[in-house]
Amino acid sequence: MDKAKLVLDKDYEISKIDEKVFGSFVEPLGRCVYGGIYEPGHPTADEKGFRRDVLELTRPLNVTLNRFPGGNFVSTYRWEDGIGPKEKRPRRAEVAWQCIETNEFGLNEFADWSKLNGSDVMMTVNLATRGVLEAMDCVEYCNFNEGTYWSDLRISHGYKNPHGYRYWCLTNEIDGVWQVGQKTGTDYGRIAREASKGMKLLDDGIKTVLAGSSSPSQATFPGFDAAALEESYDFIDYLSIHQYIGNSKNDTPNYLAKPITTDAYLKTAASTIDYIKAKTRSSKKVKISFDEFNTWHSIAEEDRFSKKWRIAPPLLEDIYTTEDALALGGMLLAVLKNADRVEIACVSELVNCISHIRTRNGGGAWVLPPYYTFLLFSKYGRGTSLVTAIKSPKYDSTDFTDVPYLDAAATIADNGDLTIFAINRSLEETLPLETELRGFSEYKVAEHIVLTSGNPKDTNTEENPNFVTPKSIGDARIDGNKVMANLPKLSWNVIRLQKIK
């Protein structure tokens, strides 16, 4: 294959990368919570029922922020159901996923788990079937110090110090017909404005996230977002957008091209924000919260309602493979390439459903290939995102033309170390890569990590958990002001360049 070229210039930066883009999402959906992070009686469970084997897998990801508790789950959720003595908590019919929610795991349990995991919490309030006052009550319970009904109730539940959550989502995907409480952009923008206003009167240090369109393919995008923003712009801080990509048609070349739509989606959302900022003559800079995204193949065909009203059934547990690791990698690179606009990003979900960590109830825990994509992104993707000029051989797929075989992003850490993230989309050939470093000097190759396998459908199992793992087997080398490397077919590459002191 012809050589691909990448140019990095020290003077051309996109933005400092916000720490909150290394986030995840935890929803009481399927076995994400029950049987995932929480399983009393499990051999590894601690005194609070948290699975230690799962914590051993989530901690290395260094997740900075976890969105909780939804998701579609939140549209009929009463947050008060999940506080206080567990034996007094009501069981509810959870209509979004047609399950029974026991509320055994609630707001305070998640606060405890998040501290063990070393991550912050982004709470979501229900503005679909509830209103402003209930959202304010939740802020008072979580963040108010003492001396009021809700803060004193929290103290009586054993939490003297406030949780102090700074980031709050103003409901979820409320443009979707699948939501109970679906609203137009204008109607939603008005209630979001008033909720945000009231919540910030209780705690003026919080930031609020407006729920935008649930997918770039929705007919509501970007009109819904524009209408909601116009009603609420000066009272909110982020616009939330969501996206899932999949390979339900088993067309791998086309699938690997789909992150192109992620980059376009983020840019269109940013343009919508800019339009409303100009229209309302505001000086405020609203940023993007890309707080639900992943690959998801069963989104269109899974019959999740064939067996209704179960407790924590296995739902949405796709078998993620090598090709999913690359597709997710492309979405993560889009986040880096839009670091000037995206300040929050949360991969869905953390355990079991739509997740790269898998467990067996009463048994083991293991990880699927995309786990390592995010692990390496989180470990080496911090610092400042650099502009990437790419020249690459291309291919056409079912839905796309002129798809570059190379997708790449680069970051520079505070200590001067450089990281190049690079994907070779080819299923057949190695891609030679030449990276020109302009303005950078005195570097050595610290490591060239490669995540790949011989088959795009390869994965890991409980019996064979290390079948697809990243290995330091790459051949990257420094040649003057250039980094030369061969990217194996169907591979996610992390080339680490260490600054010589």
Side-chain angles (χ1 to χ4, degrees):
M1 183 183 292
D2 291 340
K3 179 169 59 179
K5 295 183 179 181
L6 172 65
V7 177
L8 302 177
D9 192 309
K10 191 174 183 178
D11 291 332
Y12 289 87
E13 300 176 348
I14 296 173
S15 175
K16 183 77 173 175
I17 300 161
D18 196 287
E19 287 289 302
K20 297 186 295 297
V21 303
F22 306 99
S24 189
F25 175 33
V26 173
E27 180 179 10
L29 158 60
R31 298 190 309 120
C32 182
V33 170
Y34 304 106
I37 66 177
Y38 175 78
E39 189 180 347
H42 188 274
T44 70
D46 65 11
E47 67 280 1
K48 293 187 176 181
F50 303 141
R51 285 185 59 156
R52 291 189 179 96
D53 59 344
V54 172
L55 276 166
E56 289 174 1
L57 296 174
T58 58
R59 282 182 181 137
L61 296 174
N62 197 13
V63 169
T64 52
L65 189 74
N66 271 310
R67 180 169 169 252
F68 179 84
N72 294 344
F73 175 88
V74 83
S75 66
T76 58
Y77 185 54
R78 303 167 177 88
W79 67 268
E80 308 95 315
D81 286 350
I83 59 175
K86 291 185 179 182
E87 65 274 11
K88 294 183 179 180
R89 297 181 188 179
R91 291 191 174 199
R92 300 284 189 186
E94 201 285 286
V95 298
W97 303 107
Q98 303 282 282
C99 298
I100 298 296
E101 172 55 45
T102 67
N103 286 301
E104 183 179 346
F105 186 98
L107 186 155
N108 290 321
E109 285 76 24
F110 192 62
D112 291 340
W113 183 87
S114 294
K115 287 178 182 177
L116 289 175
N117 193 54
S119 51
D120 201 358
V121 175
M122 180 164 70
M123 283 295 297
T124 308
V125 296
N126 175 4
L127 295 180
T129 55
R130 308 192 83 188
V132 173
L133 190 59
E134 290 87 353
M136 293 174 64
D137 290 345
C138 192
V139 173
E140 186 178 322
Y141 182 89
C142 291
N143 287 13
F144 213 81
N145 192 34
E146 61 182 348
T148 67
Y149 174 81
W150 289 111
S151 61
D152 289 347
L153 186 62
R154 183 199 67 245
I155 293 169
S156 75
H157 293 157
Y159 296 85
K160 171 65 176 175
N161 295 321
H163 297 313
Y165 297 147
R166 189 179 179 192
Y167 299 95
W168 292 77
C169 292
L170 304 172
T171 214
N172 170 77
E173 294 185 3
I174 203 165
D175 66 320
V177 68
W178 54 88
Q179 294 291 347
V180 179
Q182 179 188 14
K183 291 177 173 59
T184 66
T186 298
D187 288 344
Y188 166 64
R190 288 170 179 166
I191 191 173
R193 177 191 65 211
E194 296 307 310
S196 184
K197 185 193 304 181
M199 293 160 72
K200 288 180 177 181
L201 286 170
L202 282 167
D203 184 347
D204 61 7
I206 68 172
K207 303 289 185 180
T208 55
V209 183
L210 186 75
S213 294
S214 48
S215 168
S217 62
Q218 281 283 102
T220 51
F221 179 74
F224 176 93
D225 308 65
L229 281 165
E230 188 166 2
E231 295 293 334
S232 61
Y233 191 90
D234 279 326
F235 296 90
I236 55 92
D237 303 282
Y238 297 90
L239 174 69
S240 165
I241 60 173
H242 298 169
Q243 186 190 28
Y244 293 95
I245 62 174
N247 191 18
S248 59
K249 295 182 180 179
N250 197 25
D251 183 348
T252 299
N254 195 63
Y255 176 39
L256 296 181
K258 287 186 177 180
I260 293 171
T261 68
T262 305
D263 184 64
Y265 186 27
L266 294 172
K267 286 179 168 55
T268 303
S271 297
T272 304
I273 292 169
D274 291 345
Y275 165 63
I276 298 302
K277 180 179 183 228
K279 186 176 182 181
T280 58
R281 301 183 182 184
S282 176
S283 60
K284 187 169 191 173
K285 294 181 179 179
V286 170
K287 294 298 183 75
I288 293 172
S289 177
F290 193 28
D291 49 44
E292 194 174 324
F293 70 96
N294 202 346
T295 65
W296 183 1
H297 309 300
S298 60
I299 189 168
E301 67 270 7
E302 179 171 296
D303 183 8
R304 68 190 71 149
F305 302 141
S306 60
K307 296 179 181 178
K308 296 183 179 183
W309 313 125
R310 295 171 291 171
I311 296 174
L315 293 177
L316 314 182
E317 297 188 9
D318 281 347
I319 304 301
Y320 289 110
T321 66
T322 298
E323 67 180 10
D324 297 308
L326 270 64
L328 175 65
M331 300 183 86
L332 296 174
L333 297 189
V335 170
L336 293 180
K337 287 183 277 191
N338 292 275
D340 56 331
R341 306 306 297 263
V342 181
E343 281 193 355
I344 300 173
C346 303
V347 173
S348 301
E349 293 193 11
L350 193 58
V351 185
N352 284 324
C353 62
I354 329 175
S355 175
H356 313 131
I357 298 175
R358 201 55 49 87
T359 71
R360 180 167 55 86
N361 289 1
W366 64 100
V367 302
L368 305 178
Y371 170 91
Y372 296 108
T373 311
F374 185 85
L375 176 72
L376 294 167
F377 166 75
S378 179
K379 190 172 183 179
Y380 299 116
R382 303 179 190 234
T384 298
S385 181
L386 300 174
V387 173
T388 52
I390 294 174
K391 182 178 180 181
S392 171
K394 300 176 181 179
Y395 70 95
D396 294 339
S397 70
T398 304
D399 298 321
F400 303 92
T401 57
D402 294 327
V403 179
Y405 281 107
L406 174 69
D407 193 5
T411 62
I412 182 167
D414 293 341
N415 66 359
D417 289 354
L418 279 168
T419 300
I420 300 167
F421 297 95
I423 295 171
N424 178 6
R425 293 181 168 118
S426 174
L427 276 67
E428 304 295 337
E429 297 184 62
T430 296
L431 177 64
L433 173 62
E434 175 188 293
T435 302
E436 182 181 349
L437 303 179
R438 296 180 179 175
F440 298 98
S441 60
E442 302 299 317
Y443 278 87
K444 66 179 180 180
V445 175
E447 193 176 18
H448 178 180
I449 305 168
V450 181
L451 178 64
T452 187
S453 69
N455 188 325
K457 305 300 183 183
D458 283 343
T459 191
N460 301 327
T461 63
E462 185 176 8
E463 296 74 26
N464 192 359
N466 299 313
F467 188 65
V468 183
T469 58
K471 298 178 176 64
S472 296
I473 58 173
D475 65 357
R477 68 189 190 282
I478 295 284
D479 183 2
N481 71 328
K482 295 179 180 178
V483 182
M484 312 299 293
N486 289 294
L487 311 183
K489 65 180 182 180
L490 195 70
S491 62
W492 162 259
N493 298 262
V494 181
I495 301 173
R496 298 178 49 231
L497 305 177
Q498 185 176 13
K499 187 169 181 58
I500 299 173
K501 306 303 182 184

